[in-house]
Amino acid sequence: MGLAEKFASTPVRDLNLREMPICDVGATVKEAVEKLQEARVGCAMATEDGKPVGMFTEGLLRESFAQNPGVIDETIAAHMAAPFPKVYLDDTVDMVLAAMQANNTRFICVVDADEQIVGLTGQKGLMEFVAEEFPRQVMVQRIGDTSTTNQREGA
Amino acid sequence: MAESNQPPIPDDEFADPLENYDAPDYADPLEEALDTRRVSDLQAQPCETISVDTTVADAVKKLATIHHACLLVEEGGRLAGMFTDRDLLDRVVLEYQECRDQPVHTVMIPDPVYVSESDSPAAVLAVMAVSGYRHVPVLDADGMIAGVVSPRRITEFLLEHSPSE
């Protein structure tokens, strides 16, 4: 099966989903930044009464912070993307690709049929998928200025 | 021209060294493009660069002005580092008063993993998947900065070469 066919037939649930940090919509930007740092991801979901209402990303932080470094004391409500890009667990991987391009984002929220947050995917998950499914094409590549033999196990 | 000491090989004894070579068999156009195209085909331009001496405050302003998530940091035209949204998040936002007037090299990623213009797009995917970098600098044959492959560009590449329904 080819790569494009894999994209079109593999459900999102088969990707290595990352845990989505959750912040209350009333949390400050500073609190959200601390959560992102702790989780080592660039995106958090803002919730209100437990329901997802918007997405706060490092890209949105960049735009807001450059305008006014004081935004770190404001709530994330004014600095989040709403509505936010999402896919369902049973959607296929090519829909992640399409959602990333349509929304010009690296982060896509994954929800279940009840609209509950299941995890986070996006560019990283997609690249990992390609590398795992097609190691002959991807994993034999030289990375950086290290010689290939130095990167290979047993070399 | 010097003459070879080797006697000519009769035609019936010649063995083609590529006789057993199997050309790569690609399952679809996307796999073929990943393997056979070059990073130079990815249109890794424009890329924005700043000097290692640029202040953190100016680097942050530039990122926001051009609406890019990544600046390449150069020293004498050569790649010295990379300053991205993630560096802003991890090392700048909560310590801004202390670091705003510092040079950007104090908060950048030094010596980032890069690809060459002649590498295949699969090499970019390998860097993104294995090293975890989302922006991959591109160097030319002389080791000078030639561009950067962004997540958006690699997504476009995957879509461009995926067979349409």
Side-chain angles (χ1 to χ4, degrees), chain A:
Chain A
M1 186 185 289
L3 182 50
E5 204 178 337
K6 273 273 184 184
F7 278 167
S9 61
T10 305
V12 169
R13 64 172 70 248
D14 287 355
L15 295 176
N16 288 325
L17 303 180
R18 287 179 290 165
E19 193 172 333
M20 174 77 91
I22 307 287
C23 293
D24 186 83
V25 73
T28 63
V29 170
K30 182 181 177 185
E31 289 166 338
V33 166
E34 287 168 345
K35 280 218 168 180
L36 294 179
Q37 288 179 345
E38 188 183 348
R40 302 187 65 77
V41 297
C43 167
M45 184 56 66
T47 60
E48 187 167 27
D49 300 326
K51 289 178 64 177
V53 292
M55 190 182 261
F56 178 73
T57 69
E58 57 192 9
L60 295 169
L61 172 68
R62 174 227 310 149
E63 300 295 320
S64 302
F65 184 81
Q67 297 285 326
N68 171 25
V71 294
I72 62 169
D73 296 318
E74 297 177 7
T75 63
I76 57 173
H79 305 284
M80 65 186 189
F84 55 91
K86 67 182 176 186
V87 291
Y88 293 89
L89 277 173
D90 292 326
D91 285 343
T92 50
V93 171
D94 58 352
M95 295 171 82
V96 176
L97 203 58
M100 284 170 58
Q101 194 189 39
N103 294 281
N104 191 20
T105 184
R106 300 189 293 272
F107 306 106
I108 304 293
C109 179
V110 181
V111 297
D112 63 17
D114 297 324
E115 301 287 334
Q116 294 299 303
I117 302 163
V118 177
L120 174 66
T121 190
Q123 193 218 0
K124 186 173 170 61
L126 212 53
M127 298 306 120
E128 286 172 351
F129 172 76
V130 175
E132 283 173 18
E133 294 291 330
F134 297 91
R136 186 171 66 84
Q137 284 83 356
V138 176
M139 300 310 286
V140 296
Q141 300 295 324
R142 177 191 62 82
I143 296 178
D145 55 1
T146 312
S147 69
T148 309
T149 50
N150 286 343
Q151 289 179 42
R152 286 186 178 164
E153 190 177 3

Side-chain angles (χ1 to χ4, degrees), chain B residues 90-107:
Chain B
D90 282 346
R91 291 188 280 276
V92 173
V93 170
L94 299 185
E95 293 88 28
Y96 190 61
Q97 292 310 317
E98 294 77 38
C99 71
R100 57 174 296 160
D101 296 322
Q102 298 290 316
V104 74
H105 68 75
T106 60
V107 295

